[in-house]
Amino acid sequence: MAISQAMCTSFKKALLDGEMDFSGNTGQSYKIALYTSSANLSATTTAYTTSGEVANGNGYTTAGAALTIVAPTTAGTTAFLDFSDVTLSSSTFTARGALIYQVGGSTPAVAVLDFGADKTATAGDFTIQFPTADASNAIIRIA
Amino acid sequence: MADNLNGWGRGTWSQLGWGVGPIPVTVTGVVGTTALGSVTATGDAIIAPSGLSATVTAGTVTIATGTGATVAVTGVAGTGEIGGFIVWGNVVTLQTPDWQAFTGF
């Protein structure tokens, strides 16, 4: 099993199909689910899965935490979007990666995030800090 | 409760003879009701109540400060590309041909 960071291929198609909307007036919502090292996530992931997900409880709720979208913008020839940082308080668990996905329907995948190593919180805050929202670092970019 | 009386007049008329025995006396109990009256204090009185004292023994409190984790994730990028295309039209047959090999875009 492995977690490989990627923009999911199905997400690229969903963009062209007009099925993904991150605009300021979107009616869609997105979540970030956390996974242990036993998960198998990559560019081929098409939807949210419970396989390998961090167990419910101890600060984490299965299906993940809601994301607050910072509406897409552009810089130069790159379009990008951002999410507000997510903090799960009073957490005691270990996560190795995450999946951003759209809530509802078939819960289509957006992107797989690889934490690089197991990250553990013990009775503390588990914070997912998204990168600087610019053309070179934003969490989701289309160049 | 019983007691005895002795001497003259110790009994009623013709009760006992001279020098003969005591007169037994039987007394009944007395029932009384007591009540405490109210107390009125006059004059200046300074009452300095002493403070209440209590001894509190606190249990052991353990505060778990915990250890948090901050994950600084990196973004994912997609590259938008435009595919190649060919523009063509009808050949003007009246021109003098100067065609060249197509070298692509």
Side-chain angles (χ1 to χ4, degrees):
Chain A
M1 298 295 184
I3 296 176
S4 300
Q5 177 147 330
M7 179 183 288
C8 296
T9 304
S10 58
F11 169 69
K12 298 173 184 176
K13 180 177 182 298
L15 284 176
L16 297 179
D17 289 338
E19 296 171 350
M20 294 284 179
D21 183 1
F22 297 93
S23 62
N25 60 356
T26 182
Q28 299 177 358
S29 57
Y30 296 81
K31 280 189 171 184
I32 182 167
L34 301 181
Y35 292 84
T36 68
S37 58
S38 66
N40 189 22
L41 301 170
S42 67
T44 62
T45 300
T46 58
Y48 160 72
T49 176
T50 58
S51 178
E53 187 176 11
V54 171
N56 191 63
N58 297 314
Y60 181 74
T61 301
T62 48
L67 289 169
T68 300
I69 303 170
V70 178
T73 187
T74 61
T77 57
T78 300
F80 56 88
L81 65 84
D82 187 25
F83 298 113
S84 299
D85 292 350
V86 172
T87 297
L88 305 176
S89 57
S90 301
S91 295
T92 300
F93 60 78
T94 297
R96 180 64 172 77
L99 176 70
I100 296 173
Y101 68 96
Q102 186 187 88
V103 177
S106 60
T107 60
V110 173
V112 175
L113 305 180
D114 178 7
F115 294 168
D118 280 345
K119 301 293 182 180
T120 301
T122 304
D125 290 344
F126 192 99
T127 300
I128 301 166
Q129 187 177 68
F130 290 102
T132 303
D134 61 28
S136 301
N137 301 287
I139 186 65
I140 295 177
R141 311 184 302 277
I142 298 178
Chain B
M1 177 179 178
D3 204 347
N4 296 315
L5 293 176
N6 293 292
W8 286 105
R10 66 184 187 282
T12 59
W13 181 254
S14 74
Q15 184 178 20
L16 295 181
W18 170 256
V20 178
I23 294 294
V25 178
T26 300
V27 297
T28 59
V30 177
V31 177
T33 300
T34 62
L36 293 177
S38 62
V39 176
T40 301
T42 60
D44 296 333
I46 299 174
I47 302 172
S50 60
L52 295 175
S53 176
T55 301
V56 177
T57 302
T60 301
V61 176
T62 301
I63 300 174
T65 55
T67 303
T70 298
V71 183
V73 298
T74 57
V76 293
T79 302
E81 297 181 347
I82 301 297
F85 58 92
I86 297 173
V87 178
W88 63 276
N90 292 327
V91 174
V92 179
T93 57
L94 297 177
Q95 68 178 332
T96 301
D98 60 348
W99 303 325
Q100 297 179 0
F102 175 71
T103 57
F105 296 96

